[in-house]
Amino acid sequence: MNRLHRFFALLALWTLLAPVGMLVSLSIGSGWSYPRLLPDRIDLLPWRVFFASRDGIVTALLHSTMMSLLVSASSTLLGLVAGRSLRKHASLWLRVIAYIPFGVSPMVIGTCLYDLEVHLGVAGRMMGVLMAQFIFAFGFSTVLFCELWNTRTDRLESLVIELGGSRWSIWRHAIWPYAHRLILVSLLQTALYSWLDYGLISVLGGGNVPSITLTLYSYIREGSVNQAAQSGLVLMLPPVVGFAVSMSLLRPRHDGEKTN
């Protein structure tokens, strides 16, 4: 059984790493003709082209970073408050509204919001994209934090109140020690959503809001399989890192680990 387990573990690992290895091999050269497994020329051309256009890359990185930070901070903060209120009121309709971003395509919502943003004068601007991204990020945070509250958090809040704590003390001493890992996960996931968003930026930004995703997709559409492989690796890196960090934050704590 141990050998069988190792075999399936190696098979699963190979299944996960083989596509990544293919992308890496294609990204280090130019050209790819049958029946070669490696590019025709190993010249690192895709990466040299990527770093050569540093002005556009730097601008896209700055815009994407700014939008990610704004969406992540605002949606997590308001989602934490909304999730707590939603749990206390236990309204079915409010829960349905919170789940709407999970059931509707961003392209559909972006198209529906376009006329409204045109009237508001934010279409084709960063503010319009931020407003649309906030809807999805806020819905994710609200649903995530809605499941946080339980009898244990209620008891912690009651304890702080009985000891004469203020509203700020409740959040600091009862909620933050219990929810800080989930808050960090929400910050990370909502930032990744904004960072990797393509549909809302392309529809509502109208090409006037530069982002790293739009820049990399433009490389993919150029028709070079090598440049597409390099762009795919750059697009794939943040979700992989985010997944690893989230798993580390959400892993069960050992019995001997101190709790706050």
Side-chain angles (χ1 to χ4, degrees), residues 197-251:
D197 175 52
Y198 176 78
L200 294 176
I201 292 181
S202 60
V203 172
L204 299 176
N208 298 321
V209 181
S211 71
I212 188 65
T213 312
L214 288 180
T215 303
L216 293 176
Y217 269 94
S218 67
Y219 289 157
I220 293 176
R221 290 195 299 267
E222 286 181 355
S224 169
V225 65
N226 309 98
Q227 199 71 52
Q230 178 270 332
S231 300
L233 289 173
V234 176
L235 285 172
M236 185 174 58
L237 181 61
V240 172
V241 175
F243 174 77
V245 175
S246 298
M247 291 296 294
S248 176
L249 290 172
L250 293 177
R251 75 183 189 278

Side-chain angles (χ1 to χ4, degrees), residues 4-235:
L4 186 62
H5 290 163
R6 285 197 295 268
F7 170 76
F8 282 110
L10 292 175
L11 181 62
L13 184 63
W14 169 257
T15 304
L16 291 174
L17 295 182
V20 179
M22 178 60 71
L23 291 178
V24 171
S25 65
L26 289 176
S27 69
I28 62 176
S30 56
W32 189 37
S33 57
Y34 180 83
R36 295 174 61 91
L37 295 178
L38 295 176
D40 298 333
R41 296 175 299 279
I42 307 299
D43 51 10
L44 298 177
L45 180 61
W47 292 101
R48 289 193 284 113
V49 171
F50 177 76
F51 289 110
S53 57
R54 56 182 177 272
D55 293 337
I57 294 295
V58 170
T59 302
L61 283 174
L62 290 175
H63 278 82
S64 295
T65 302
M66 184 184 303
M67 290 190 295
S68 297
L69 293 176
L70 290 173
V71 171
S72 176
S74 59
S75 61
T76 299
L77 177 61
L78 296 178
L80 180 61
V81 177
R84 186 168 185 262
S85 301
L86 191 61
R87 189 255 179 178
K88 288 183 176 295
H89 291 87
S91 172
L92 177 61
W93 288 108
L94 291 178
R95 287 179 178 269
V96 172
I97 294 174
Y99 274 96
I100 286 179
F102 291 88
V104 183
S105 169
M107 296 293 289
V108 173
I109 291 185
T111 303
C112 295
L113 291 176
Y114 184 77
D115 288 338
L116 175 62
E117 294 199 353
V118 168
H119 286 86
L120 294 176
V122 294
R125 300 173 60 183
M126 183 183 294
M127 179 58 66
V129 176
L130 288 174
M131 291 170 57
Q133 289 182 348
F134 172 79
I135 294 175
F136 287 90
F138 175 65
F140 169 80
S141 296
T142 301
V143 173
L144 181 67
F145 290 121
C146 183
E147 304 299 329
L148 170 67
W149 317 102
N150 50 37
T151 55
R152 180 181 179 184
T153 57
D154 293 339
R155 289 196 301 267
L156 290 174
E157 292 181 28
S158 300
L159 178 61
V160 174
I161 294 174
E162 290 175 0
L163 294 176
S166 62
R167 186 182 298 271
W168 167 250
S169 299
I170 294 176
W171 285 94
R172 180 182 178 184
H173 298 291
I175 297 176
W176 170 254
Y178 184 74
H180 67 281
R181 292 191 177 192
L182 203 61
I183 292 174
L184 294 176
V185 170
S186 176
L187 287 170
L188 178 62
Q189 294 298 321
T190 50
L192 281 175
Y193 167 74
S194 176
W195 179 274
L196 297 174
D197 175 52
Y198 176 78
L200 294 176
I201 292 181
S202 60
V203 172
L204 299 176
N208 298 321
V209 181
S211 71
I212 188 65
T213 312
L214 288 180
T215 303
L216 293 176
Y217 269 94
S218 67
Y219 289 157
I220 293 176
R221 290 195 299 267
E222 286 181 355
S224 169
V225 65
N226 309 98
Q227 199 71 52
Q230 178 270 332
S231 300
L233 289 173
V234 176
L235 285 172

